[in-house]
Amino acid sequence: MPVMSYINAITLAMKEEMERDEKVFVLGEDVGKKGGVFKATAGLYDQFGENRVIDTPLAESAIAGVGIGAAMYGMKPIAEFQFADFIMPAVNQIISEASRIRYRSNNDWSCPIVFRAPFGGGVHGALYHSQSVEAVFANQPGLKIVIPSTPYDAKGLLKAAVRDPDPVMFFEHKRAYRLIKGEVPEDDYTVEIGKADVKREGEDITVITYGLAVHFALQAAERLAEDGISVHVLDLRTIYPLDKEAIIEAAKKTGKVLLVTEDNKEGSIIGEVAAIIAENCLFDLDAPIQRLAGPDVPAMPYAPTMEKFFMINPDKVEKAMRDLAEF
Amino acid sequence: MTQSNENQSSVSVEKLKWMYEQMVKIRYYEDQMVEVYTEGKKPVFNIGAGTVPGEMHLSTGQEPAAVGIGAHLKKEDTVTSPHRPHHHAIAKGVDLKRMTAEIFGKETGLGKGKGGHMHLFDPEVKFACSGIVAAGIPHAVGAAMAAKMKGKDWVAVAFIGEGAANAGAFHESLNLAALWNLPLIVVVEDNAYGISVPKKSSTSVDSNDKRADAYGIAGAYVKDNDPIAMYLAAEEAVSRARNGQGPTIIEIETYRYLGHFQGDPELYRDKAEVPGLRELDPIVKLKEKLIEKSTDEKELDEMEERAKQEVDEAYQFARDSNFPAPEAALEDVFTS
């Protein structure tokens, strides 16, 4: 099985879906000849031409809105936002329009669009190139929100997102793009949206997380294994709708749960995960549910010292795991 | 609208000298940044490593827009700037030491290291940035509105790239500024590319000053990256704004000598393009003009030395400053 980077798996998913279905097209800023600022659409312009790989003006509201219109009228757009931070002008179109089209039209209309955006910090992007924005959308039923952690999941979930009859937000951790590599099958496959995945089986404590933090949890779990502490790692993969069954099962398995996100702690998706566990696992818990997250400040700061303070890393996850294991 | 040679000769030598010194300062500042930025990024280029980690968008070649309008602004006038802000900041008189420290991510920086080079804020001279394209335009409208409400003759200038003129915020802002007759000047720096996309592939008109008609306001076009023509267009626009006669859009044809960001492979443009642009250098042309007007070359040398010294001192200040404490990330969320 070929080994490829996270970003190459994303490019491959788009390429295969565009080959499979001529209704699939890509639009966004610099996605054409340049192949995107991170090169996620590299090669697609040469293969599919300017009518299916479309450079747009710098107008996110229009990227979303025009994509929504095309989706309602029979096309399958993949709209790229250059950075998740740039999505804010498009929030009206995504939340007020895309998420409600099926509901408000008595199920007569649908909006099969994928909104892709790189998110997350650790690259000194500072205030407008580092944020986690998923919680903004996770309070909006009607949108599915996918955040893969591995190349395998990225390809399978993006293909599933393109084929999904409803709008899907697909957030890609920009630090993972070239850092994370893994095996990706050459054949056509999809990964079901809404299903979490056990990335490591363990008995003593459970870590539930998503995105790049999955890898930090797995690295920390290796360290704890040397001391005989067995860590169970659940990768949410889809953060809306959450896989409640998998969350409950993972929490009950060890009775000690650590939730990790790079987003600000308060109001983040892990608060909802904690609520699911609290509602369903009261008599199975052996420790209070723990959360490890970014600090509650408006955006990720620039200075290396402060960015490091903000970001999740394997050391922070390891410490939180050890504290929980000792509880 | 383009300026005639006759008008050009009306600009005082003092103003020309001011513009020249500022342009030299900006150019030298950016040239130094090219060097400093590569520190710690070799042998494998890594944006996040080195003395100045993070993205870097330099303004080399785009000096005329900043100085042409800067020559007419007072401390109380507002400037908003986008992700490529160094030339605007310098021409507005932003504290160069604290600006450089911010770019280095140091605690002595304008934002105590929180923002970096795209996020420079200096309330002393009413200068602000945003890393989001077009986000600063409505802020300038708001500043113009505040000036009008306070009964002051202050103006507000929003600098944007040509790519931002296609964002909704541009159109919403100009309609309001026109409707409320506000002292606003939007300066569109047309450097021909929105990152990789040429203007003709993103914009329905060949120049954005034509869009002024849509709002019933004045528009001016400055060709050839000419600082004196920019000065004259700005003189009219600022005078119009100060006298309560409403907003203006000025588009200037300018040149981006460097990539969109440092490290940009620039595969979207012909390699021969930039050397051709550098032959039209506005600093060289302005220097020739000053010599033509009998300016002592020794005086020009002194101006260059003074500008360089100020820049060198700013870089040294940034190097000598400390990084903020990690926990400083928690500060300044609310008033304390």
Side-chain angles (χ1 to χ4, degrees), chain A residues 80 84 157 243 265 273 310:
Chain A
E80 175 177 306
L157 281 163
D243 186 349
K265 187 172 181 176
V273 176
F310 190 117

Side-chain angles (χ1 to χ4, degrees), chain B residues 17-217:
Chain B
K17 284 181 189 168
W18 183 88
M19 288 200 289
Y20 179 72
E21 186 165 343
Q22 295 300 311
M23 285 171 71
V24 166
K25 194 195 298 181
I26 293 164
R27 180 66 58 86
Y28 183 70
Y29 190 89
E30 300 294 57
D31 285 348
Q32 294 305 105
M33 190 59 78
V34 168
E35 298 301 318
V36 171
Y37 189 69
T38 57
E39 288 175 16
K41 289 187 173 64
K42 292 171 182 170
V44 181
F45 181 75
N46 173 359
I47 276 185
T51 305
V52 179
E55 288 173 271
M56 181 53 62
H57 314 82
L58 297 178
S59 62
T60 315
Q62 296 188 201
E63 302 87 355
V67 301
I69 201 152
H72 303 285
L73 297 184
K74 306 189 285 194
K75 195 177 168 188
E76 295 81 6
D77 296 323
T78 288
V79 168
T80 69
S81 177
H83 56 282
R84 195 181 308 285
H86 300 173
H87 53 326
H88 308 142
I90 291 171
K92 186 63 172 70
V94 168
D95 184 316
L96 205 58
K97 286 181 176 168
R98 295 184 65 212
M99 165 176 153
T100 312
E102 184 59 33
I103 294 168
F104 279 53
K106 298 297 181 75
E107 65 178 356
T108 52
L110 292 165
K112 297 186 230 168
K114 288 201 183 73
H117 108 99
M118 285 181 273
H119 315 115
L120 306 170
F121 300 89
D122 191 351
E124 283 294 307
V125 294
K126 296 170 117 181
F127 181 88
C129 290
S130 176
I132 299 295
V133 164
I137 313 170
H139 305 167
V141 176
M145 187 183 182
K148 190 174 177 181
M149 287 170 135
K150 290 177 176 177
K152 304 289 188 185
D153 72 344
W154 305 337
V155 305
V157 178
F159 283 103
I160 60 170
E162 89 288 345
N166 300 313
F170 174 87
H171 301 280
E172 294 171 26
S173 299
L174 280 164
N175 178 61
L176 268 183
L179 183 69
W180 294 340
N181 197 39
L182 297 176
L184 174 79
I185 299 122
V186 174
V187 178
V188 184
E189 287 177 88
D190 175 14
N191 67 14
Y193 298 94
I195 304 189
S196 70
V197 178
K199 187 186 188 185
K200 65 176 165 36
S201 304
S202 70
T203 306
S204 62
V205 288
D206 55 11
S207 67
N208 283 292
D209 58 302
K210 290 182 179 165
R211 287 174 160 166
D213 285 348
Y215 310 105
I217 62 173

